[in-house]
Amino acid sequence: MARLKSVLLVDFDNIFAATGQAMVDTLPQWLLWLSDGALSEKGRRRKFVAKRVYWNSQYDVHRDAFQAAGFEAFDCRAHAKTKIASGKSSADIVMTMDAIELRHQLSGVDEFIVLTTDSDFVPVVNRLQLAGIRVVTAGKETDPTYQLYSEHADDVIHIGALKAAFDYERAPRKWYKLRSDPPVIAPLRQQAERLSPLLKKVRHAVRVEKANGTPGAVQQLKLAADIVMQLGARTPDQPLPRNKVIRALEGMEGFQTKYGNRVKPWLGQKNFKTLMRKLSEENPDIQVTELADKTVRIVCRARGPRGRRGRMVGVPSPLGPPPKRPERPAPKPPEPEPEEEAKAADTAPEEKSDEKPAAAETRVDASAAAD
């Protein structure tokens, strides 16, 4: 089996803060762990065509160790005095430019490993995936970065698994195998591994459709359009990678990319491009543009105010439960007309009043009493 052509970019400041000095001391071990196919596609081993590490100037003392392992080291010191004083660097922007540059310079790259837990690299992940490149990132179990990258990247190395790889040793090859087994990934320590929230919503929507009856072709296209819009709500106005759209639609019953079990692929459409155009007719916010290389560019336009995560504010999710309708107030009885009120007052029985007459009314005139 051919090895994956992979590019490794390491945000040293970020990963060093999460793992400590052991990251440098055990560099050959965790690098071999990645080379032997940890979290790779189908457990294939990797061939690194480029390895780069980015750090602030204070970590330049580790240059010899990383260069001995085949890395190119980049000193990304900050330029503003305030950032220099606070220990910040320009590694993020340098890594971003290098990722796009290497994607065009190197031919036949299968995968990028962006070893960072910084959530600012989500757009970089999406742009690399647009070119059909598999992207692996890192994430902390104790904060939302692991879940965030689980929704965007093709795979995520959690910090606990990386720390366990500091003691990695290649297992001996068995006599009946051509190579040793791929590395075992340590389980999450802080929380149980969760499925993608989007796929959970897809399965919920499918269950609702089943409860209401077998969905027809029109209902399937409507559900598929809702799934694509929900996927695009994470990165509104940004291109959606083809493989990510397919992965989200695979949660639907009856969706497949090849003919089988007497079921037509692409929900009865000719191909992926035709299906996307059909979904664009179903929901105009899904904009499909054909490019010069005959591929399509898919962008979901989000209208209205957005929250911190880019989702629409005040607009319910199309895959979520329907919003509760506000309870209508009880209707008020019609007010009687003035004539009817007067008639009701004449016919009403006089009520005895317990109030005592005023003192002025009960006072007897003194002169009348004398007579």
Side-chain angles (χ1 to χ4, degrees), residues 60-85:
D60 205 56
V61 294
H62 305 304
R63 180 179 292 271
D64 293 341
F66 275 85
Q67 286 183 343
F71 279 85
E72 295 179 77
F74 293 86
D75 185 355
C76 304
R77 65 185 67 191
H79 297 283
K81 292 183 179 180
T82 54
K83 290 187 176 182
I84 294 174

Side-chain angles (χ1 to χ4, degrees), residues 304-313:
R306 301 171 191 162
R308 287 167 46 187
R309 296 187 178 181
R311 298 180 180 175
M312 300 287 289
V313 176

Side-chain angles (χ1 to χ4, degrees), residues 51-70:
K51 291 183 289 186
R52 296 185 177 184
V53 60
Y54 306 82
W55 53 43
N56 204 341
S57 55
Q58 60 181 330
Y59 297 117
D60 205 56
V61 294
H62 305 304
R63 180 179 292 271
D64 293 341
F66 275 85
Q67 286 183 343

Side-chain angles (χ1 to χ4, degrees), residues 21-199:
Q21 181 64 30
M23 174 194 176
V24 181
D25 298 338
T26 62
L27 177 58
Q29 282 88 338
W30 63 264
L31 196 58
L32 179 63
W33 178 72
L34 290 175
S35 299
D36 282 355
L39 293 172
S40 68
E41 187 178 12
K42 298 180 181 179
R44 293 167 61 185
R45 289 188 176 179
R46 295 182 174 94
K47 175 185 178 182
F48 289 111
V49 295
K51 291 183 289 186
R52 296 185 177 184
V53 60
Y54 306 82
W55 53 43
N56 204 341
S57 55
Q58 60 181 330
Y59 297 117
D60 205 56
V61 294
H62 305 304
R63 180 179 292 271
D64 293 341
F66 275 85
Q67 286 183 343
F71 279 85
E72 295 179 77
F74 293 86
D75 185 355
C76 304
R77 65 185 67 191
H79 297 283
K81 292 183 179 180
T82 54
K83 290 187 176 182
I84 294 174
S86 59
K88 294 184 178 180
S89 69
S90 59
D92 292 2
I93 189 64
V94 178
M95 285 180 65
T96 300
M97 292 189 296
D98 280 5
I100 303 303
E101 187 179 61
L102 291 171
R103 172 256 181 277
H104 291 285
Q105 285 182 349
L106 303 176
S107 60
V109 174
D110 301 310
E111 178 190 64
F112 267 73
I113 300 178
V114 185
L115 202 58
T116 180
T117 64
D118 192 342
S119 60
D120 292 341
F121 285 90
V122 169
V124 180
V125 172
N126 291 334
R127 289 306 173 96
L128 292 174
Q129 289 174 331
L130 281 173
I133 296 175
R134 189 173 184 270
V135 184
V136 179
T137 59
K140 293 181 181 179
E141 308 95 316
T142 53
D143 59 34
T145 56
Y146 180 81
Q147 180 181 347
L148 177 68
Y149 278 125
S150 297
E151 297 176 2
H152 291 276
D154 295 284
D155 228 322
V156 187
I157 303 171
H158 63 87
I159 296 301
L162 183 60
K163 288 182 177 180
F166 292 167
D167 301 324
Y168 175 74
E169 293 182 2
R170 179 181 292 173
R173 182 179 65 86
K174 297 181 180 179
W175 65 271
Y176 54 87
K177 289 186 177 182
L178 297 177
R179 52 160 285 188
S180 56
D181 294 330
V184 177
I185 309 302
L188 288 167
R189 299 177 181 178
Q190 301 295 333
Q191 59 184 14
E193 191 168 1
R194 293 169 289 186
L195 296 174
S196 168
L198 175 63
L199 291 181

